Amino acid sequence: QVQLVESGGGLVQAGGSLRLSCAASGIIFSFHVMGWYRQAPGKEREMIATITNGGSTNSADSVKGRFTISRDNAKNTVYLQMNSLKPEDTAVYYCYARRIGTSTNYWGQGTQVIVSS
């Protein structure tokens, strides 16, 4: 059974930092592109950042220079370091895994991030 379990969300003031973690089980971690998406109230889910097994990353323009995605293949965990948070970063953040070369993907249950002004 595949599980992606996020942690690290919470309430933070604007300008602050949070680090999200996502622990994966039930998959061969190194066979998957990992990523983070977010969904704000009334908005569509959007890609924030992705990372390949080799460490190549891609991120949304809205978070470039502020958010950093990383992964620890030994721990089957992907991280999202979020700095200089803004109220518009408030959303539910979801961990994502996609099997390389396929359309098979998995989602975590989400973790809430609230940034107060």
Side-chain angles (χ1 to χ4, degrees), residues 39-112:
Q39 187 166 18
K43 295 188 176 181
E44 293 187 354
R45 192 173 295 189
E46 60 172 342
M47 186 278 290
I48 296 303
T50 61
I51 185 167
T52 68
N53 180 54
S56 296
T57 62
N58 183 37
S59 60
D61 288 343
S62 59
V63 305
K64 276 189 169 81
R66 300 189 298 123
F67 291 10
T68 302
I69 189 171
S70 61
R71 65 191 285 166
D72 186 334
N73 288 339
K75 294 183 178 180
N76 286 7
T77 300
V78 61
Y79 305 97
L80 185 68
Q81 178 66 44
M82 305 187 294
N83 299 328
S84 302
L85 282 160
K86 304 174 181 180
E88 52 263 43
D89 294 318
T90 294
V92 178
Y93 284 71
Y94 296 91
C95 181
Y96 164 84
R98 178 177 58 81
R99 175 81 180 229
I100 295 169
T102 76
S103 59
T104 301
N105 56 65
Y106 307 98
W107 294 92
Q109 81 287 353
T111 186
Q112 178 75 56

Side-chain angles (χ1 to χ4, degrees), residues 1-19:
Q1 182 181 358
V2 178
Q3 282 192 309
L4 301 177
V5 180
E6 301 103 333
S7 60
L11 174 63
V12 64
Q13 287 189 331
S17 299
L18 283 175
R19 188 194 196 206

